Amino acid sequence: MGKVEVEDTSLKELLKKLVPRVFKATIITAVVGACLLFFWLIISAALADWFPEYQMLFAVFAWGTVFFTFAIRVTDNTIFKYCFIIGRAFFLIIYIVYATNGGLLTLDFMNFHFTLEIMPLLSLMILVNLLAMARGVLQAIEFTSETTRE
Amino acid sequence: MRHTIRALGWGIIILWVITLLLPITVGLSLLKLMEPNAIGFREQEISYSDGMFSLSAPFYINNTGHYDLSDINVTVSIRRKNKAISTFSTLLPDVPAGNITNSCYTLSLSLEEIVSKNLKLLTDDTDLDLNISAFFRVAYVIGIGISTSMKRSWTAPFYNLTVSPVSYNFSSQKLSLSVSFENHTYFTMNGTILLKIYNDRSELVGFTEMYLDIPANRSFHDVIEVTIDHFNITESGFVRIYLEDEKILEKEWNLSG
């Protein structure tokens, strides 16, 4: 009987900690999702005819952003938060390389064929995300050392 | 460690701002290039001289954008019925921001090239398939390429070139040949043509040279007399016409018909 009471108490405490966190994460994720939806509505009208692959690419980016936003908020004050920060940076690297076709975009419009070469810009974006991954690692190390001290 | 994390954080923010601002400002710069007087072409010149057909296209670029234009390369590929005739590629001078650059794009096609790739271009009007592509860099970072295909009519300088024997004078040993063609081009066709007469044993029996100067859209028709080696002349054979040492026509002749 005593063991069940202890378990009920710790479950209640866990829910007490988790529910506000999940609620807060849901609100923030909903705001981010609304901004992405608004951005999609503005851009899709212009790009749908010229760049049909845009919808699939944007959907992947939007769902990835929403997922990582929720996951980072929910795991706040835990080591997992920094794992998700690093994971988000890695996801962005893979996504940017795939979405930009390695920095070489092509478009056919009327009788013209356009090519956009953005390899230096792509390299800069990859560098930024590598720095974000490094920052995530340092933050995880700092969090671990602070937790150990406590 | 906290300072390092903070510095990394600021560095990431600054780099993201640069990464997002650069394409936006490049896009605004390119919009200025799309204005009506940003790129213009002056009067084109088509000419023929010393075995070379030339198209000269002067143009200007008024770069009112924010960034320099560099690595400007224009390539023109000419094909006829899926057969490559020639490809021209030119690197043009850089256009700094706020400057106007005047330049000239020249296409040159040698007679030798036409004869080796597509002899029919000299004697038949036709349509050519042009593939024009241009590439340039904005701010030395973002490269933009544009290409398009179009058809362009080609007018022959020796349209309907015809050679036929008229008569053979046994006493003067002269073979009379009727030579005619139409210059359908926009320029004067000039140069030295050489007629070589062969018998049915492929032996050279006579030749003559003449200088042509046929203005644009004019026809030429003349009876040319060639002194023949009387001992080797036969009833039939073939005649070759050369322009600037390039054979442009070979046709059989027959005195009886």
Side-chain angles (χ1 to χ4, degrees):
Chain A
M1 189 69 104
K3 197 179 174 187
V4 173
E5 280 175 2
V6 166
E7 279 176 3
D8 278 345
T9 313
S10 41
L11 188 64
K12 274 185 194 164
E13 276 174 13
L14 187 66
L15 285 173
K16 223 176 172 179
K17 279 184 193 171
L18 204 56
V19 168
R21 198 183 284 186
V22 169
F23 181 73
K24 192 180 165 186
T26 308
I27 298 292
I28 293 169
T29 307
V31 170
V32 169
C35 293
L36 287 168
L37 183 65
F38 177 71
F39 184 74
W40 181 76
L41 287 171
I42 293 172
I43 300 292
S44 64
L47 289 183
D49 293 328
W50 295 4
F51 197 30
E53 300 91 14
Y54 158 78
Q55 289 190 336
M56 189 272 290
L57 287 172
F58 188 81
V60 168
F61 173 74
W63 282 112
T65 305
V66 161
F67 167 75
F68 281 109
T69 304
F70 183 81
I72 288 167
R73 292 293 169 188
V74 156
T75 54
D76 203 11
N77 281 327
T78 68
I79 191 73
F80 299 107
K81 173 185 173 179
Y82 306 104
C83 295
F84 281 116
I85 286 174
I86 295 164
R88 181 179 61 184
F90 185 68
F91 161 75
L92 281 176
I93 290 174
I94 303 292
Y95 174 80
I96 288 167
V97 170
Y98 176 78
T100 59
N101 194 29
L104 193 67
L105 295 165
T106 59
L107 173 70
D108 289 311
F109 179 66
M110 290 165 82
N111 196 26
F112 291 90
H113 178 79
F114 294 94
T115 309
L116 193 61
E117 203 183 280
I118 53 167
M119 280 150 204
L121 208 59
L122 176 68
S123 306
L124 192 58
M125 286 194 257
I126 291 172
L127 174 67
V128 170
N129 283 292
L130 286 174
L131 287 176
M133 285 171 78
R135 185 167 174 257
V137 168
L138 290 176
Q139 284 175 320
I141 293 169
E142 193 194 33
F143 177 82
T144 312
S145 65
E146 278 179 2
T147 313
T148 312
R149 241 181 270 138
E150 283 163 16
Chain B
M1 174 105 54
R2 207 160 281 180
H3 296 299
T4 311
I5 291 168
R6 201 172 291 161
L8 272 174
W10 278 110
I12 288 165
I13 289 169
I14 290 166
L15 285 172
W16 267 125
V17 168
I18 293 170
T19 307
L20 294 174
L21 273 183
L22 185 61
I24 293 170
T25 53
V26 164
L28 290 172
S29 198
L30 284 173
L31 280 175
K32 286 186 181 284
L33 271 183
M34 290 183 197
E35 286 169 4
N37 293 327
I39 300 173
F41 290 90
R42 299 198 168 94
E43 202 177 319
Q44 292 179 12
E45 247 182 66
I46 307 172
S47 62
Y48 170 79
S49 176
D50 295 329
M52 290 292 282
F53 295 91
S54 298
L55 167 69
S56 177
F59 65 94
Y60 68 86
I61 299 175
N62 183 8
N63 185 7
T64 53
H66 312 298
Y67 298 106
D68 295 351
L69 301 178
S70 61
D71 294 342
I72 307 173
N73 192 314
V74 179
T75 302
V76 177
S77 172
I78 303 176
R79 302 178 74 86
R80 178 179 177 267
K81 291 184 182 176
N82 285 328
K83 199 176 168 190
I85 294 171
S86 194
T87 300
F88 311 93
S89 192
T90 307
L91 191 64
L92 300 172
D94 294 353
V95 186
N99 279 23
I100 299 176
T101 296
N102 292 292
S103 189
C104 185
Y105 192 83
T106 305
L107 302 180
S108 294
L109 200 56
S110 69
L111 186 62
E112 188 187 341
E113 209 170 350
I114 293 178
V115 166
S116 64
K117 297 273 177 65
N118 206 314
L119 187 57
K120 291 246 178 226
L121 288 177
L122 291 176
T123 55
D124 291 353
D125 291 348
T126 186
D127 283 331
L128 296 177
D129 298 316
L130 299 184
N131 186 287
I132 304 169
S133 59
F135 177 86
F136 59 95
R137 284 197 188 278
V138 184
Y140 303 98
V141 170
I142 296 179
I144 296 165
I146 306 168
S147 69
T148 186
S149 299
M150 60 175 69
K151 279 201 184 300
R152 191 74 189 228
S153 61
W154 165 270
T155 47
F158 293 98
Y159 179 77
N160 201 21
L161 177 61
T162 310
V163 177
S164 52
V166 176
S167 61
Y168 178 65
N169 191 322
F170 283 91
S171 55
S172 62
Q173 293 173 18
K174 283 191 193 297
L175 177 66
S176 297
L177 294 167
S178 167
V179 178
S180 67
F181 64 88
E182 294 165 33
N183 179 11
H184 281 187
T185 66
Y186 300 108
F187 49 85
T188 298
M189 200 58 214
N190 52 35
T192 304
I193 63 165
L194 170 67
L195 275 86
K196 288 185 177 177
I197 315 296
Y198 294 83
N199 61 18
D200 58 13
R201 294 189 296 271
S202 301
E203 292 165 344
L204 180 67
V205 294
F207 66 91
T208 190
E209 253 183 24
M210 60 184 289
Y211 183 76
L212 288 179
D213 189 18
I214 312 300
N217 292 310
R218 293 287 174 87
S219 55
F220 170 84
H221 182 232
D222 202 1
V223 175
I224 298 165
E225 288 188 341
V226 184
T227 304
I228 297 296
D229 176 2
H230 180 70
F231 296 103
N232 287 313
I233 184 77
T234 54
E235 279 290 308
S236 63
F238 58 92
V239 57
R240 286 181 182 157
I241 298 182
Y242 293 82
L243 175 68
E244 311 291 351
D245 299 328
E246 294 296 333
K247 186 176 73 173
I248 62 171
L249 181 75
E250 182 172 309
K251 200 178 173 196
E252 288 177 2
W253 58 267
N254 197 315
L255 281 175
S256 55

